[in-house]
Amino acid sequence: MFYRENGQLKTSYRADQQIFTVAQDRLAIGLLAVLAFVAIPLLASDYAFRAVLIPFLILSLAALGVNILVGYCGQISLGTGAFMAVGAYAAYNLQVRIEGLPLLLALIGGGLCAMALGIVFGIPSLRIRGLYLAVATLAAQFFVDWFVNRAAWVTNHSTSGLVSIRSLDFLGMALDTPARKYLLCLTLLVVLGLMAKNLVRSAKGREWMAIRDMDVAAAVIGIRPVSAKLSAFAVSSFIVGVAGALWGFVHLGAWEPAAFGIDKSFQLLFMVIIGGLGSIVGAPMGAAFIVLLPLVLNHVPHWLGLPISTGTAAFLEHMIFGALIVVFLIAEPHGLARLWSTARQKLRLWPFPH
């Protein structure tokens, strides 16, 4: 009985169009924000920041970008790892070659470079779709891998191909602790997440969804497929590029081209499928599942007294990922986000059956 909308009247268009229309949702989001911005930085350990929280936030941001392209616009992409690599290497080169460049501008520059590459490899979407488009975007992955290994200036002429970040500074504050790095990632996720949410609710977002549902009918009613598809590639690649820069700068600190291989592209696609296609909240849900599952598989057998080797746990992880993808595609194609939405609807009617 606590989740009710009775008496919550909306007397203006502004109130009717707000993101969280139910007062209980706004209260829950406020409590979650206090927990994320205040309680966790004070209570979490350095291991929790490095192994769980920071990877979760960055992968959530990357999955958000993938969801805009795949979930909202319906354009299949297997080159997400390449866009992350472009964002990371572009931000690295900007900081190396421009003395005193702020970290925020380097991250934005990396996102813009990834956006440019995304538009280039999004051009085939104007002619092809489905599996053929997936193969075309997969070409971006192979091209970026080849380019990074062949162009020495990308890695600042590093003989081993390894690049490293010495120190991080954001708006005059040194990011020398895991808690500060966590707050940076959390802030960027919240800001870009709100921007993405408002964008998918705008006219451009409706164009993306019309193209996803039936591009021929969308073109008939006046939607330009060129503008809709390329804008989806641009926005998605920008967010993924920023996430890639954060992955290299904040999480890894030092990386090589293998850090953004094709497995990263598949991992992000799995997050979107499990979290929920066409849902902003599905991105962090899928990322949380992917990040936490290996930890659960490593610790639960030991808690139960079952001796399982690391190799066996890795095989179980891949098997469970594959099984869950099949289950979600068959039983609940919209993933965890739809399950959460269904639970909210049940709470609105509880304890009545209908």
Side-chain angles (χ1 to χ4, degrees):
M1 301 292 289
F2 63 90
Y3 195 76
R4 288 289 186 272
E5 300 179 39
N6 294 342
Q8 300 182 29
L9 305 179
K10 302 173 180 62
T11 57
S12 64
Y13 287 112
R14 184 188 181 102
D16 188 55
Q17 294 176 354
Q18 58 188 340
I19 296 177
F20 303 105
T21 58
V22 182
Q24 291 89 331
D25 289 341
R26 294 193 292 272
L27 177 61
I29 291 298
L31 294 175
L32 184 61
V34 172
L35 175 65
F37 281 97
V38 179
I40 290 180
L42 295 176
L43 301 176
S45 63
D46 288 352
Y47 171 79
F49 282 122
R50 292 192 177 97
V52 180
L53 296 174
I54 292 177
F56 158 69
L57 293 175
I58 299 175
L59 292 176
S60 297
L61 186 60
L64 176 64
V66 176
N67 213 345
I68 287 178
L69 182 63
V70 179
Y72 283 99
C73 196
Q75 309 301 302
I76 302 176
S77 175
L78 296 179
T80 310
F83 302 136
M84 290 185 70
V86 169
Y89 281 106
Y92 168 75
N93 278 272
L94 288 172
Q95 275 213 328
V96 168
R97 305 181 193 285
I98 302 178
E99 187 68 26
L101 183 69
L103 176 61
L104 181 60
L105 293 182
L107 296 176
I108 294 175
L112 292 176
C113 292
M115 175 192 292
L117 184 72
I119 293 175
V120 171
F121 281 93
I123 293 176
S125 68
L126 306 178
R127 290 286 184 179
I128 58 179
R129 68 188 71 178
L131 180 61
Y132 300 99
L133 178 59
V135 174
T137 55
L138 185 61
Q141 185 73 53
F142 296 119
F143 171 77
V144 170
D145 289 344
W146 172 84
F147 185 78
V148 170
N149 286 296
R150 294 293 180 179
W153 60 268
V154 173
T155 59
N156 199 24
H157 300 279
S158 173
T159 56
S160 63
L162 183 71
V163 299
S164 60
I165 305 300
R166 296 182 179 179
S167 61
L168 295 177
D169 182 272
F170 185 76
L171 300 179
M173 181 181 63
L175 302 178
D176 52 359
T177 63
R180 290 183 177 181
K181 294 178 180 179
Y182 160 82
L183 288 174
L184 170 65
C185 297
L186 178 62
T187 302
L188 290 177
L189 175 62
V190 171
V191 171
L192 292 177
L194 287 175
M195 292 175 61
K197 181 63 177 179
N198 286 310
L199 189 59
V200 298
R201 300 195 310 156
S202 66
K204 182 60 66 176
R206 291 192 290 272
E207 289 181 6
W208 293 343
M209 289 181 277
I211 292 292
R212 175 196 64 191
D213 294 338
M214 187 174 292
D215 54 353
V216 176
V220 169
I221 64 176
I223 295 175
R224 297 181 59 197
V226 175
S227 173
K229 292 182 179 181
L230 292 186
S231 63
F233 270 96
V235 174
S236 172
S237 301
F238 175 80
I239 296 176
V240 170
V242 174
L246 286 175
W247 187 261
F249 278 50
V250 177
H251 178 54
L252 299 178
W255 71 92
E256 57 184 359
F260 301 99
I262 191 173
D263 56 335
K264 187 66 65 180
S265 300
F266 284 112
Q267 185 185 46
L268 291 171
L269 188 60
F270 295 162
M271 291 180 191
V272 173
I273 293 174
I274 294 175
L277 290 167
S279 171
I280 297 296
V281 73
M285 286 184 175
F289 187 90
I290 297 296
V291 171
L292 293 177
L293 181 60
L295 298 177
V296 172
L297 292 178
N298 287 330
H299 289 86
V300 169
H302 295 288
W303 295 340
L304 299 177
L306 300 176
I308 296 180
S309 64
T310 305
T312 304
F315 283 121
L316 285 175
E317 178 183 339
H318 292 299
M319 292 173 59
I320 293 175
F321 281 162
L324 286 174
I325 289 172
V326 173
V327 169
F328 276 111
L329 287 175
I330 295 176
E332 187 50 81
H334 295 284
L336 297 174
R338 174 55 64 89
L339 295 178
W340 169 242
S341 178
T342 302
R344 289 181 59 220
Q345 293 299 324
K346 295 291 185 181
L347 285 175
R348 291 176 63 188
L349 299 177
W350 184 85
F352 305 106
H354 53 75

